[in-house]
Amino acid sequence: MSEGDQRYPRPLDDVPSTSSNLSSVRDRTYPESLACPCDDGVMVYMSYLEKTELQIFKKMLVNEQFLPDTLGITWEQLDRASWAEMVHLLIEIFPGVLAWRVVLEILNTMNKSRICSLVEKELKDILPTLELTYFHLNLRKAPLSLTSEDYQIQAYRQHVMKDNFPEWDKTIWPGNQEDFLYMEIEKHNAVLPCLFLPRSPHMRQPNTVIIHGIPGIGKTTLARKVMAMWARDEFYAHKFKYAFYCHCRELSRVGERSFSEWIESQGLRSQALVSKILSRPDQLLLLFDGFEEFTSSLITGTAGLTKDWNQKLPGTLLLSSLLSKRMLPEATLLIMVRPTSWKGVKLLVRNPSHVTLTGFNRTETLNYFRLYFKREVMGDEAVDFAMKNAILLSMCRVPVICWLVCYCLRTQMEETVDLTKACPNATSVFVLYLATLFSTIFKKLSSSDYQKQLEGVCHLAAHGIWSLKNVFDKTEFQYVMVAETTIDAFLQVNILRKLEGQGDHYMFALFIFQEFFGALFHILCYAERDIDYHWVSRKDIQDLIKLSRESETYDSQMGLFFFGLLNEECAEIVLRSFKCELFSSNKLKAVKVINKLSNNPCCEISQLFHCLAETREENFALSSLVGYQKVSLKIKSQEDLEASAFCLKHCPDLKKVELTLSRDFYKELGPSSLSSSPPPPPPPPPSSILFDWLQDVCSVFETSDNLEMLTVSNSVMKAPVMQILATTLKKPQCKLQRLHILRQLGAGHTNLGEEAMKSLRVVLESPPPSPQCLLLEHCEATPKNWVDLVGDLERNTQLKTLLLRENFLGIFGVNHLSTSHLGELKCNLTEVSCEAIAISLRHSKLLTHLSLAENNLKDAGSRHIWRALEYLMCPLQRLVLRQCSLTSGCCKYMASALKNNKNLRSLDLSFNQLRDDGIILLCEAMNDADCELLILELEKCNFTSISCHVLASMLCSYKKLRHLDISKNFIGMEGRVTLIFALLLLLLLFCSPAM
């Protein structure tokens, strides 16, 4: 990279990236924050075919002459089709059940028995929604001859490939792309075909797909990738004969024109061809991007919208007509939006499908760091620094920010400085990066004028953030007294960029630059003013705190930057780098506002903690958090953990802590030493900083003099976390006066191991109140550990709910576990285990809710449960036997239980094969019994209208029933009418004066 390139990097708005962070579709593993296009897709099992197997499938589809000769699909198009495109093609050609039967026939011929079983299962599930349609199918023998229009389309495809290959413009970026891009572009190849995968339950292709993503995350790269693939006949070749990419700036820069004129301007040069394209909108794919550069407002009403593609319209009406499907309703739309743009777009689009691009995950970010730093020692130092700054690491999910951070860190390390001292917080990294650009700005502007010009740029940036504005025209710069020479200086170093074809309209080259200068505006010292700083109101500070975290409609770093600039060391870096001072009065104002929020919070405590953690000043945090007696910690990410570790120990008045450690926290960390499985290289496991932060959080239970209560709710506590928490709780110096009922202590999907089981037992042995609910789903441990735990559970009379499904205890320990004190028990039981459960039921005085759902009890196993219910003293009020492999054979035992039991109020028998025989027996028993049953759930028990007469009779005679669920059964219209008459009769009886 040349010296000039190093000084003037030119970042793009949406850079090439791994934007969607996808693993291969075959692995079926997607990031938790990504809305996967395959989630509700049909025939997803086609992705399990290897590449060679998929080609065999295609050849058999052709050789067996399944394809109709009128389709017009060439082998070249078929050869390039992905598995998802093949699914779309099959469902489009073979409507109804026929598509599944064709797939089943071919896969059977290929001896793919496992996938065939999945085909049959899916077909069985969706059969009621399908209709059988017959086709006369013949193979088209020869390709169609090319027409002059085909040659024009081919020329257009060449034009598209030239414009979109590579997917990013190398000339925009300095040096070699490997210096700043960590590319795994094959991930796009996995997700792109899924964007239009037919969805359940109607098996239709989504007509509108929204790609969500913050600035720089890779939306434009994804759009260009789609266009390049389409031009090579590699993207839904059978479906989209025509595709066009529309950047919204193109609709802003001219006056009125029709959509047909716009299509013609894309390189077709033929009105006849344009008319033919627009007459077949079902073959048309339209990609929309760059809404942040659209300088007009979208029309959300119907006024002015038109169907006519030949009518000349202003850009705003034309775009609104297309998005609302008023124009070309059959066309397929792929829309790229930022959170700020979505607010206007969502009022126009109908029934869209959504995909969210998440950028680099943590593992990819660290891999990128190691790729960027050629010297291993420098790479290790940079990774170690980033790991200790979770806020900075989170910002690096945007690839261009990741490059920017690495560029800045490398510059500092080449000057042989300590990164920790050089960069006291995340904000200082951006200050130091921009400092490399400001040396040029100083040369362009006079020292006397510089301060006013910087103030004007910052003023405009802040105004844009608050008003959701990204594009500024020349008059707006003039309003804040920014001269043309200043605009040119900021353009030269690529802090600003001029919009192509829109006259004097400008944007910040990266949105994060606008956020930074907006934050700087709120704390700059203006020496020539009567008031030498910008006075920030209470509402301003509250809103800045809210901006510090992602929300549904907005995502901004301006709040974090504002608090980061309050750091004294960072303020000194600003003074050296930008030749301007920061005023401290707004710092004092922030303390007062935060103090008052303790009684009337306007934002989540996590938002506030992130802001205070970015200041990295303990005294500031301590002064701000005076008066905070209760905090609710929702730890979903590494950032949340770091912020909690910093702030919690600076709450002098803390009395109550509510802790939620979500499963997302472990997912967000990816392969790490907190995971239940060993991390694959690279990168190596993270440093102990994560454990240090966890210990810092738990240390508050020892050091806070006023702390009275800890509530852990809805948390997944994996082994290391369990160990740290348990170790703290059993220390004599623990200040907690009440361990307020751990309402849900979860350690799901975990290999607990010896230490974790010991830690769990420590918690269970803690003085009352100890946990009431214990969840250990899918956990693994040795038989000895389970037996030891069973002993603790029997002694713990506080425990009311125990969930042990799919654990060794479900097979081994249930015979040793007395349930007399439990309110709810769920295990991985079989019919062999039920006798022991039944014995406990007979002796239980407290068990009111028993769920044995999704256990393979069968009729023989349930017989023990029914016989236990015959005992008059059994206190059970709700029994859940959902999906327990029961048949009508269990109903004869059930009848006796219902006759004798006076306590049972709710019975769930859903998803069992009771059929008509079982329902008739059940209804007869309820007619004869003097029971108190109020709720009866019979969802999907596979009975028909034959049962409805007995059900109707039962409803009329057994008047205690208040809720009956018979959904997903095949009762038909006859059954519905029978039950409706019974309900009407009941209604008349209840409304009768005699009643």
Side-chain angles (χ1 to χ4, degrees), residues 17-29:
S17 71
T18 60
S19 52
S20 49
N21 277 338
L22 294 169
S23 299
S24 69
V25 176
R26 285 175 45 76
D27 293 337
R28 312 290 301 130
T29 54

Side-chain angles (χ1 to χ4, degrees), residues 96-109:
V97 70
L98 195 57
W100 278 261
R101 291 182 176 171
V102 168
V103 171
L104 192 58
E105 181 176 340
I106 295 177
L107 292 176
N108 268 322
T109 306

Side-chain angles (χ1 to χ4, degrees), residues 225-237:
K225 175 70 174 178
V226 168
M227 290 301 297
M229 289 180 66
W230 173 84
R232 297 192 297 268
D233 243 2
E234 295 174 354
F235 188 78
Y236 283 87

